[in-house]
Amino acid sequence: MTSLNLVSRTCPIPFLSHATTAMFPTPNSVIFSTKPFSNAFSVSAIVTAKQETIVLDKPTTTTTTTFDFTAYMLRKADTVNKALDAAIAMKEPEKIYEAMRYSLLAGGKRVRPLLCIAACELVGGDEETALAAACAVEMIHTMSLIHDDLPCMDNDDLRRGKPTNHKAFGEDVAILAGDALLAFAFEHIAVSTKGVSPTRVVRAIAELAKSVGSEGLVAGQIVDTHSEGLSNVGLERLEYIHLHKTAALLEAAVVLGGIMGGGNDDEVENLRLFARSIGLLFQVVDDILDVTKSSEQLGKTAGKDLVADKVTYPKLLGIEKSKEFAHKLNQDALQYLAGFDEDKAAPLVALANFIANRQS
């Protein structure tokens, strides 16, 4: 096999060199204490299976602001779902639009579009400003799932509790549906973005393209595919895979929100570093869930990484050390929000905690 040159995305975060001994929180009832915020404000969150509430306390005042994350997530997800439904309406040729809509509207947590909108609002923008970009990111994410599930890739039969796209429509239609979603995502940003300068729109398009191409998602996918069955895959290679395959698009979602919202260079960079941490966090948690949850709980095939002999964080570190690493990544992410307004940062804080403690 041809050797792969693992030149990483520019990343000043030494994730694997700072292993933590802190225990990963119990997901159904957790109190978070995010120490990196201590100089500006403190954050505590009580998470239950039904609802997460963030309480932000300024040390110099007795007033508090309570943020209802569940209501926020449901409201924003509903907006995104309606926008996605409207963006890709049924028309001829019906088969391709049916396949596109089958996967795009199959549900899901809508984490990436929510991150995009929250980042936009954090730097002074609004929901409408970010909505086209948020939908574009979800279209590309859906494309990646359709293609990832193909027999020539991860070969999965179940996604979001339903048969995967190629099982429902055939491999030929699934490939074309993914291609169409990818192409339309960029068209949608260019045509449907409102209230943003052309310069920022072009910057956002370039950012998104990089995240999904040979320096982003595709790079992670090819290294992942060519690492199956190898006995010498270490943490550095595993981190490379997931910073590209998973974190790159999460990073793009947040950065696009910052760009569309009018954020300055420093704000966008802090958002980038925040997103890179939660992007890797997302994958560490995904690896843990793959070996600790059932297919019914996940809505996708559980244990498939083990069957495919893929390298994962639990395989290299063990379950408990993987949980500790996830906790450390969550804490690292939150420190990059410390310079922002605490009320506006609350959705991103809650989303980071949600990613850390998700159960599917």
Side-chain angles (χ1 to χ4, degrees):
M1 184 185 71
T2 304
S3 63
L4 296 165
N5 182 22
L6 306 187
V7 180
S8 179
R9 295 167 65 84
T10 303
C11 181
I13 309 173
F15 291 119
L16 297 176
S17 61
H18 289 81
T20 179
T21 56
M23 290 302 296
F24 186 74
T26 305
N28 287 337
S29 181
V30 185
I31 296 179
F32 294 95
S33 175
T34 57
K35 293 181 180 179
F37 281 83
S38 58
N39 291 334
F41 57 93
S42 61
V43 179
S44 62
I46 299 176
V47 180
T48 68
K50 296 182 179 179
Q51 179 172 342
E52 174 173 317
T53 302
I54 300 291
V55 181
L56 304 177
D57 305 300
K58 292 184 179 180
T60 57
T61 179
T62 58
T63 62
T64 63
T65 300
T66 301
F67 173 70
D68 188 341
F69 174 60
T70 300
Y72 177 89
M73 193 169 186
L74 291 173
R75 186 173 67 253
K76 297 297 186 185
D78 183 61
T79 298
V80 169
N81 286 333
K82 289 177 179 176
L84 289 170
D85 186 28
I88 301 184
M90 283 297 299
K91 54 185 174 182
E92 294 292 343
E94 287 191 356
K95 179 60 69 175
I96 194 65
Y97 284 97
E98 183 183 359
M100 292 164 70
R101 288 170 59 84
Y102 175 85
S103 293
L104 185 64
L105 304 179
K109 296 172 282 292
R110 305 304 191 202
V111 168
R112 291 157 190 82
L114 264 65
L115 285 166
C116 184
I117 292 170
C120 181
E121 293 174 336
L122 176 59
V123 297
D126 57 31
E127 178 182 274
E128 186 176 14
T129 302
L131 193 55
C135 288
V137 170
E138 190 68 5
M139 292 172 194
I140 290 177
H141 173 55
T142 302
M143 173 279 297
S144 75
L145 299 182
I146 293 173
H147 285 180
D148 197 48
D149 289 335
L150 289 167
C152 62
M153 304 293 275
D154 274 6
N155 191 24
D156 212 333
D157 297 341
L158 189 66
R159 175 69 67 177
R160 292 172 174 169
K162 299 170 59 176
T164 49
N165 199 287
H166 69 275
K167 284 294 182 181
F169 296 94
E171 290 181 39
D172 54 346
V173 175
I175 292 169
L176 293 172
D179 292 346
L181 284 167
L182 176 61
F184 186 70
F186 293 101
E187 177 186 343
H188 192 62
I189 290 183
V191 172
S192 301
T193 300
K194 299 178 181 179
V196 181
S197 71
T199 300
R200 285 188 176 269
V201 172
V202 169
R203 181 182 172 189
I205 289 173
E207 182 77 32
L208 185 57
K210 185 175 182 179
S211 77
V212 75
S214 58
E215 295 185 39
L217 189 153
V218 170
Q221 184 71 61
I222 188 66
V223 177
D224 187 26
T225 301
H226 284 257
S227 297
E228 290 184 15
L230 298 181
S231 59
N232 60 342
V233 178
L235 286 173
E236 183 178 357
R237 189 183 186 100
L238 182 61
E239 182 180 304
Y240 177 94
I241 290 170
H242 295 316
L243 280 174
H244 291 75
K245 184 179 177 181
T246 303
L249 191 57
L250 275 159
E251 180 181 321
V254 175
V255 171
L256 260 62
I259 292 171
M260 296 302 194
N264 62 42
D265 289 346
D266 288 341
E267 290 173 329
V268 170
E269 184 60 20
N270 278 320
L271 286 171
R272 182 186 301 282
L273 296 175
F274 161 80
R276 201 167 291 173
S277 290
I278 64 168
L280 190 55
L281 167 65
F282 191 97
Q283 186 60 51
V284 176
V285 173
D286 212 53
D287 284 357
I288 294 168
L289 294 176
D290 188 64
V291 295
T292 59
K293 298 294 181 180
S294 67
S295 297
E296 291 73 21
Q297 290 171 311
L298 295 177
K300 60 182 180 180
T301 307
K304 63 177 183 178
D305 291 338
L306 183 63
V307 172
D309 197 22
K310 281 192 171 186
V311 63
T312 64
Y313 284 99
K315 184 175 181 179
L316 293 182
L317 299 177
I319 294 291
E320 289 308 313
K321 288 295 183 182
S322 296
K323 289 178 178 180
E324 292 169 7
F325 183 38
H327 179 66
K328 174 65 164 57
L329 288 169
N330 192 21
Q331 298 302 297
D332 287 348
L334 296 178
Q335 72 178 340
Y336 293 111
L337 300 179
F340 292 102
D341 177 88
E342 56 262 41
D343 292 337
K344 291 182 178 180
L348 288 179
V349 172
L351 279 162
N353 292 336
F354 173 79
I355 289 170
N357 294 282
R358 64 191 179 93
Q359 297 298 295
S360 64

